[in-house]
Amino acid sequence: MKTNQKKNQYVIIKGTKDGLTFILDDQCSMDTLKSALKETLSDRPQPSKESQGAVKAKLAIGKRYLEKVELQELASLFSEEMNIKVEDIESDVISKTEAEHLVKEKQMTQVARIIRSGQVIELQGDLLIIGDVNPGATVKATGNIYILGKLKGIAHAGSNGNKEAVICASVMTPSQLRIASVVRRSPEESDQLIEQQMMECAYLNENEEIILEKLHKLSKIRPQLATELC
């Protein structure tokens, strides 16, 4: 009896409205885990023939890193022992590819030149341009865009859907602003003739409208961003 209780501690089952969640121990060996899981599944009653389809399940594997083959082995245990289909695997471990992607998303690329008509700059992470973005030019980033110069072309921040991204420029007279999937047309001609004395930033408000504000208000609009820039 004590042995069974010890094995069962490696597998905890929780029922939810969406199915079953199997919380798997992330400290024991893989062989021990598979043995405990197989025993746990064999102890559970088989679903009735009248039940509709397979029971949906989610695996929570914690800090255990599993190769694709190992994940397939675990999933096969459910189909062999019971009519259970693993639809989701929750892990606290990220892959090397995911880690590299996160690094790219947080990095800032600096470009010190004028972006001329017809030129396109597109990259991951934040973009800092020291120079003007001329009419007909496009700058695009998955993160924020900072322009120490005149923005007269197209700027697209948060191109991967990041609605928290901002666009900042010394002189904000773009032909088009875009944050995530929201687009703002160029200002009226009369607005473009007004000489700006302070840098401006563009952001999405709670109504998903692109709003222009003076840069010094960025600390209130995006407090976390302002802290990272300091």
Side-chain angles (χ1 to χ4, degrees), residues 136-192:
T138 300
V139 292
K140 187 176 181 180
T142 59
N144 307 296
I145 295 177
Y146 308 101
I147 301 171
L148 297 181
K150 299 176 181 178
L151 172 56
K152 295 183 177 181
I154 298 172
H156 184 183
S159 59
N160 63 345
N162 179 13
K163 296 180 181 180
E164 295 296 306
V166 299
I167 301 170
C168 302
S170 299
V171 178
M172 186 79 77
T173 55
S175 57
Q176 185 187 93
L177 290 176
R178 181 175 296 186
I179 298 177
S181 60
V182 181
V183 179
R184 172 169 169 157
R185 62 183 180 81
S186 60
E188 298 295 335
E189 184 177 353
S190 58
D191 294 333
Q192 294 182 9

Side-chain angles (χ1 to χ4, degrees), residues 64-211:
R64 182 188 297 273
Y65 176 75
L66 296 177
E67 298 286 352
K68 186 176 180 180
V69 174
E70 294 173 314
L71 290 172
Q72 291 174 341
E73 288 178 358
L74 287 181
S76 66
L77 283 177
F78 288 87
S79 59
E80 290 172 2
E81 298 295 332
M82 295 185 68
N83 190 22
I84 296 178
K85 181 181 180 182
V86 177
E87 291 198 334
D88 187 27
I89 297 176
E90 185 180 275
S91 173
D92 296 332
V93 180
I94 62 174
S95 66
K96 180 180 178 181
T97 301
E98 291 171 325
E100 291 174 345
H101 177 75
L102 288 175
V103 170
K104 288 182 179 179
E105 286 296 322
K106 292 184 177 181
Q107 73 181 4
M108 178 181 289
T109 301
Q110 300 181 18
V111 177
R113 62 183 173 88
I114 295 173
I115 314 302
R116 304 187 185 281
S117 178
Q119 293 181 325
V120 178
I121 293 181
E122 182 175 355
L123 48 79
Q124 281 185 286
D126 294 346
L127 172 62
L128 170 62
I129 297 177
I130 304 174
D132 297 338
V133 178
N134 285 348
T138 300
V139 292
K140 187 176 181 180
T142 59
N144 307 296
I145 295 177
Y146 308 101
I147 301 171
L148 297 181
K150 299 176 181 178
L151 172 56
K152 295 183 177 181
I154 298 172
H156 184 183
S159 59
N160 63 345
N162 179 13
K163 296 180 181 180
E164 295 296 306
V166 299
I167 301 170
C168 302
S170 299
V171 178
M172 186 79 77
T173 55
S175 57
Q176 185 187 93
L177 290 176
R178 181 175 296 186
I179 298 177
S181 60
V182 181
V183 179
R184 172 169 169 157
R185 62 183 180 81
S186 60
E188 298 295 335
E189 184 177 353
S190 58
D191 294 333
Q192 294 182 9
L193 297 176
I194 300 175
E195 185 173 351
Q196 300 169 338
Q197 300 298 323
M198 300 178 68
M199 290 187 70
E200 285 190 310
C201 64
Y203 69 97
L204 283 183
N205 65 8
E206 61 276 8
N207 297 319
E208 296 195 1
E209 300 169 328
I210 296 181
I211 305 298

